[in-house]
Amino acid sequence: MTRGVGLPLLTALALLTACSPAVDPSFTGLAPETDPKSFTCCGNPERLPAPIAKIGLDLSPMFSPLVSGSPIRTGYLTEAPEAWAYLTDQAQPLDILLTSGKNWIPGQVITGRFTHSAVYLGTEAQLKALGIWDDPLIAPHHGEIRAGKIIIEGVSGGAKLNDAPHVFDTDGALMVRPTLAGRAAKRKAALRLFARLGVPFDYYFDVSTCGKLACTEMVAQSMPQIGFVVRTVYDLPVLMPDDIAAQAIRGENLRVVAYARGRASGWSRGGRFEAMEDVAASWGPVPEGTPEPVLERTSDTGMAGMCTPLDGIGA
């Protein structure tokens, strides 16, 4: 969600009042015995007044270039190629990358630890092993892939292939692995992603749309059988990066593979507990009596109002 999300009025409000904090003031830490299998988050995503959010979203396409081109500071992983290598050396095709772009203005506005998602597609050798290297959807991109652009992300200007230095220009990165049943499911998911290259960005993050895609929408459409949590945010069905992280922490059709945990003092290797700790720290406790605002879960049999091409590859 981070890159390309203009949110001009929300940005102005965040800069003049209070940006989304990296740690919620009410967070006092996680007990060591906290059970990851029961972990939840994101129970109060509507942190700004609805009218302001709507105006900001409506104006985002116009103002996005003004705030998405330059970071407000150097990301904690930006100059740490050893952190990128730690992740990419373990990566397999279809691994989902969740990044914490608090070094970008949109990332300061978005509530939560993780503010953007991308998918690792794989090297030439990995795509050949998957049996899809010569597919007509992939063949036009051989040069880019050989040049290191092996990650796909939905960004302002359209879904595109990018390399590790671009994607990891951020404060932290969590790699999670989807449970896909067999090579055929992996091939189909990969081809769905390649079919979405160039699709315009969806500034409303509405998973029910087909012709435009935010970063998490692309993930949901390519692997609907994972059962991603879709919740209502400002009257729109939305898949949040932190919900993907929480689902991986619980081990529901996703699992945590590796976590490059950025801090001002540098970065460290983390895992399931550290990811859980950072997500919890961003949200704080869920208010008592507040119902979990989950709309539905994605699935291969479809989801009410969601655009997911289940019988084909293209949009």
Side-chain angles (χ1 to χ4, degrees):
M1 288 186 180
T2 300
R3 293 183 179 84
V5 186
L7 304 182
L9 296 186
L10 300 187
T11 298
L13 180 65
L15 293 175
L16 294 174
T17 57
C19 293
S20 177
V23 177
D24 187 279
S26 61
F27 182 72
T28 57
L30 283 180
E33 65 273 15
T34 302
D35 184 5
K37 294 181 179 179
S38 61
F39 179 69
T40 60
C41 79
C42 323
N44 183 24
E46 298 181 2
R47 302 289 176 96
L48 291 165
I52 294 177
K54 184 179 186 306
I55 293 172
L57 289 169
D58 288 344
L59 294 178
S60 288
M62 183 186 305
F63 288 93
S64 174
L66 299 178
V67 298
S68 62
S70 301
I72 56 177
R73 60 169 171 77
T74 301
Y76 299 145
L77 299 186
T78 304
E79 297 177 357
E82 64 276 16
W84 317 340
Y86 164 63
L87 295 168
T88 57
D89 286 352
Q90 301 179 72
Q92 296 180 11
L94 285 312
D95 282 353
I96 300 167
L97 298 166
L98 303 171
T99 59
S100 180
K102 297 300 183 181
N103 56 315
W104 299 81
I105 288 177
Q108 286 287 326
V109 177
I110 295 171
T111 303
R113 168 63 175 170
F114 300 105
T115 58
H116 182 59
S117 65
V119 180
Y120 177 88
L121 290 172
T123 62
E124 177 178 355
Q126 288 173 322
L127 292 172
K128 283 181 175 178
L130 202 54
I132 57 175
W133 174 251
D134 292 319
D135 188 275
L137 285 170
I138 298 176
H141 305 286
H142 283 178
E144 290 178 279
I145 295 168
R146 285 169 172 155
K149 293 187 175 182
I150 53 179
I151 301 169
I152 186 171
E153 56 179 352
V155 293
S156 178
K160 63 189 296 184
L161 296 175
N162 268 316
D163 54 20
H166 178 91
V167 175
F168 297 135
D169 184 4
T170 187
D171 280 355
L174 178 70
M175 185 165 69
V176 305
R177 184 158 297 157
T179 301
L180 296 172
R183 286 165 52 84
K186 293 180 180 180
R187 285 195 293 266
K188 191 168 188 177
L191 292 176
R192 281 175 172 167
L193 287 163
F194 274 101
R196 279 152 182 74
L197 285 169
V199 174
F201 189 80
D202 177 13
Y203 292 91
Y204 292 88
F205 318 116
D206 182 350
V207 299
S208 68
T209 59
C210 257
K212 296 181 180 181
L213 293 173
C215 57
T216 55
E217 292 175 61
M218 189 170 58
V219 174
Q221 285 193 18
S222 64
M223 297 174 267
Q225 68 270 42
I226 295 303
F228 293 106
V229 171
V230 177
R231 64 175 72 235
T232 301
V233 182
Y234 297 115
D235 296 323
L236 295 169
V238 172
L239 171 58
M240 302 178 64
D242 272 6
D243 268 325
I244 298 177
Q247 185 172 340
I249 290 164
R250 292 192 300 272
E252 298 173 355
N253 293 327
L254 298 168
R255 68 178 180 88
V256 172
V257 176
Y259 183 23
R261 195 184 199 192
R263 292 287 186 272
S265 56
W267 76 280
S268 60
R269 301 183 182 192
R272 190 182 189 186
F273 184 86
E274 288 77 17
M276 179 171 62
E277 185 175 48
D278 286 352
V279 171
S282 293
W283 288 90
V286 177
E288 292 185 8
T290 301
E292 190 73 6
V294 173
L295 174 66
E296 205 165 342
R297 284 181 180 264
T298 64
S299 74
D300 257 340
T301 57
M303 188 194 100
M306 180 176 174
C307 171
T308 305
L310 300 177
D311 298 324
I313 298 298

